Amino acid sequence: MITFCIALLVLIGGYFIYGKFIERVFGIEPDRKTPAIKNPDGVDFVPLPRWKIFMIQFLNIAGLGPIFGAIMGAKFGTSSFLWIVFGTIFAGAVHDYLSGMISLRHNGESLPETIGRYLGVTTKQIMRGFTVILMILVGAVFVAGPAELLAMLTPESLDSTFWIYVVFIYYIIATLFPIDKIIGRVYPFFAAALLFMAIGILAVLLIQFPAIPEITDGLQNKHPNAVNSPIFPMMFISIACGAISGFHATQSPLMARCMTNENQGRSIFYGSMVTEGIVALIWAAAATYFFSPEGQSAFGITENADNVNGSAAIIVQKISEGWLGVIGGFLAILGVIAAPITSGDTAFRSARLIIADFMKIEQKSITKRLVICIPLFILAIGILIYSLADKDGFEMIWRYFAWCNQTLAVFTLWAITVYLAQKKKLYWVTLIPALFMTTVTITYILYDPIGINLSYNLSVSIGIGMAIISGIYFFLKLPKLKNAQ
């Protein structure tokens, strides 16, 4: 627990030290009018208080990632702690803050528009389609987990299929209504439930101080299938939302359209990511103990252990109820259920706005909102039906989602790097994460069976080579970027 406690303190310190540094790099202008003040529309551009925007942003970006992703990432061992901490502080939170603030400066524009602004028209067109696909995958992926947990908590007649229909009905309502009518009123409560869950699990960890591996024990790969699941790049894809996630940058414009002052940015964007990193760290520590022989015994895992350890939803239920009791466990699971559902509906909302921005369709009319949303929901339902029909369908979709998620983060980091170079600011703060994540995503899609399935050494070599080429190309363009108006 010493490594865990130090990691927790470093995460908190990162917000106050490195977060403040990144804020200075960007250069906030508190007197500049925000989009919500300049052009409120009563639907998406709606001024909201800072605390409410923070709670919504945190819930939007949390989803299943910092919980299910951290549980899967914990199988790799103590190295997961390092990725959560340093990934959050130096990559994820920087990515979230700067993408959100750049959107704020450009009237709350959607992510593909920002990427196109700095990486070119061709990239913008590709990212429009790519981002909408990711949003649909998020909507589909983030239904199955909550539906499974809800089915565990309700009578057998209310199975996961029933809850999938219920969640989709909610998606339709939340996506179409003005942001302050449902999201602005309900999300803070759900965010509080998610935070309660994390604080409850943290309290038990600090009281029981269970024996979990320390960094001094080494960073060897503890994954059950370590031969086919090397730490690099697999762990860096498995733990996405708890370290860095391209999905977050699609959500930031939603909140940029509700902010009333630029000085709110660090707490809303950087702070939300650090909070999510803390949630991921807590669940990684809890899962590390759960997977140990002592943990298996403590939680009463005696039969069908492989099936239990393969289901993140069951692990969440076992840990929550085992450590927090029936009532505490119920509230904890409620937070785990609410997080992905609310991320799913804001994913569809983000997809609606991206398409509306691209096609220049005003969104005050509910009819025009429906025209965009209905095809999105049909596609998501089709993907979900496939995932339920095939026993490996959900895992396959999750892996494609995870890779798409991190690939979007790569494009966002490169766009921010170009922005900083043009503004003659310290571009290294995003260039280094951009080069690293470029290597991760290319290596993964070359090595993993969902991609090209090349040998590991060849995949890593090509990944590193592509990152080097990207870096050289950037520096060749740097003089022109610095002279751009």
Side-chain angles (χ1 to χ4, degrees), residues 19-314:
K20 187 67 175 178
F21 171 72
I22 295 298
E23 184 181 57
R24 290 176 179 172
V25 169
F26 177 77
I28 62 171
E29 298 177 17
D31 296 330
R32 179 192 286 260
K33 287 187 177 181
T34 64
I37 301 299
K38 289 191 295 184
N39 56 334
D41 66 356
V43 178
D44 298 305
F45 292 85
V46 180
L48 294 175
R50 183 201 302 249
W51 71 268
K52 187 171 286 190
I53 301 175
F54 168 83
M55 297 291 267
I56 296 172
Q57 173 74 359
F58 167 63
L59 200 60
N60 284 355
I61 67 175
L64 290 171
I67 302 168
F68 282 25
I71 289 172
M72 290 186 286
K75 294 182 179 182
F76 290 92
T78 315
S79 54
S80 63
F81 289 3
L82 297 181
W83 172 230
I84 290 171
V85 172
F86 294 115
T88 294
I89 294 173
F90 297 108
V94 176
H95 164 280
D96 291 10
Y97 175 77
L98 292 175
S99 63
M101 295 304 291
I102 292 171
S103 174
L104 185 71
R105 287 281 175 92
H106 295 296
N107 198 39
E109 70 180 3
S110 299
L111 179 62
E113 308 305 310
T114 299
I115 291 176
R117 183 184 295 274
Y118 298 106
L119 298 185
V121 175
T122 302
T123 306
K124 176 169 69 174
Q125 303 298 359
I126 294 172
M127 283 298 102
R128 279 171 171 166
F130 187 87
T131 306
V132 170
I133 290 171
L134 175 61
M135 295 302 97
I136 295 172
L137 284 173
V138 169
V141 165
F142 284 8
V143 170
E148 185 179 355
L149 283 170
L150 284 167
M152 292 178 186
L153 299 174
T154 53
E156 290 185 8
S157 58
L158 304 180
D159 59 9
S160 58
T161 303
F162 168 81
W163 285 110
I164 285 170
Y165 288 127
V166 172
V167 172
F168 261 105
I169 291 172
Y170 166 76
Y171 276 0
I172 294 171
I173 296 171
T175 303
L176 294 175
F177 272 55
I179 196 167
D180 60 330
K181 300 303 180 186
I182 295 179
I183 292 175
R185 294 179 181 179
V186 179
Y187 279 30
F189 168 75
F190 285 149
L194 185 60
L195 289 172
F196 167 84
M197 171 272 297
I199 293 171
I201 300 297
L202 174 62
V204 175
L205 282 170
L206 295 178
I207 291 171
Q208 291 195 0
F209 242 63
I212 58 177
E214 301 287 351
I215 193 172
T216 52
D217 297 328
L219 300 177
Q220 60 269 29
N221 191 349
K222 300 292 185 65
H223 197 281
N225 188 20
V227 175
N228 297 319
S229 298
I231 289 177
F232 184 90
M234 297 306 190
M235 186 190 70
F236 298 93
I237 295 291
S238 297
I239 303 178
C241 296
I244 181 171
S245 166
F247 172 68
H248 296 184
T250 68
Q251 303 303 290
S252 295
L254 302 182
M255 297 300 95
R257 301 180 185 203
C258 300
M259 292 167 56
T260 56
N261 197 297
E262 286 195 358
N263 62 19
Q264 299 173 337
R266 182 161 65 99
S267 57
I268 291 171
F269 298 126
Y270 201 101
S272 293
M273 182 63 237
V274 169
T275 305
E276 186 179 31
I278 291 172
V279 171
L281 185 67
I282 291 169
W283 275 103
T288 299
Y289 175 64
F290 181 90
F291 292 135
S292 69
E294 295 83 1
Q296 297 280 287
S297 175
F299 287 104
I301 309 300
T302 56
E303 298 180 0
N304 299 320
D306 290 340
N307 292 334
V308 171
N309 291 341
S311 173
I314 296 177

Side-chain angles (χ1 to χ4, degrees), residues 297-445:
S297 175
F299 287 104
I301 309 300
T302 56
E303 298 180 0
N304 299 320
D306 290 340
N307 292 334
V308 171
N309 291 341
S311 173
I314 296 177
I315 293 171
V316 168
Q317 182 192 36
K318 292 287 185 181
I319 293 176
S320 299
E321 291 185 356
W323 276 356
L324 302 179
V326 177
I327 297 177
F330 174 79
L331 290 175
I333 294 172
L334 176 63
V336 177
I337 290 169
I341 290 176
T342 51
S343 291
D345 71 49
T346 51
F348 282 117
R349 189 180 194 92
S350 180
R352 170 174 67 80
L353 292 173
I354 289 169
I355 294 171
D357 288 348
F358 166 55
M359 301 183 70
K360 308 298 182 185
I361 301 175
E362 62 85 15
Q363 293 294 280
K364 288 186 179 181
S365 166
I366 194 168
T367 302
K368 292 183 178 179
R369 281 178 253 162
L370 274 171
V371 168
I372 296 175
C373 287
I374 289 176
L376 296 176
F377 287 123
I378 291 174
L379 285 171
I381 290 172
I383 294 171
L384 195 57
I385 290 173
Y386 160 73
S387 73
L388 294 174
D390 188 329
K391 65 182 181 66
D392 297 321
F394 178 77
E395 182 181 353
M396 183 68 69
I397 292 174
W398 179 274
R399 289 161 75 184
Y400 276 114
F401 151 71
W403 177 77
C404 289
N405 189 30
Q406 300 299 64
T407 300
L408 184 60
V410 170
F411 280 95
T412 305
L413 285 169
W414 279 113
I416 298 170
T417 303
V418 171
Y419 165 84
L420 294 174
Q422 288 182 351
K423 300 294 183 181
K424 298 180 177 59
K425 297 179 183 293
L426 187 63
Y427 54 80
W428 286 98
V429 296
T430 51
L431 175 61
I432 294 174
L435 291 169
F436 179 75
M437 291 308 299
T438 297
T439 309
V440 168
T441 54
I442 292 176
T443 301
Y444 179 84
I445 202 63

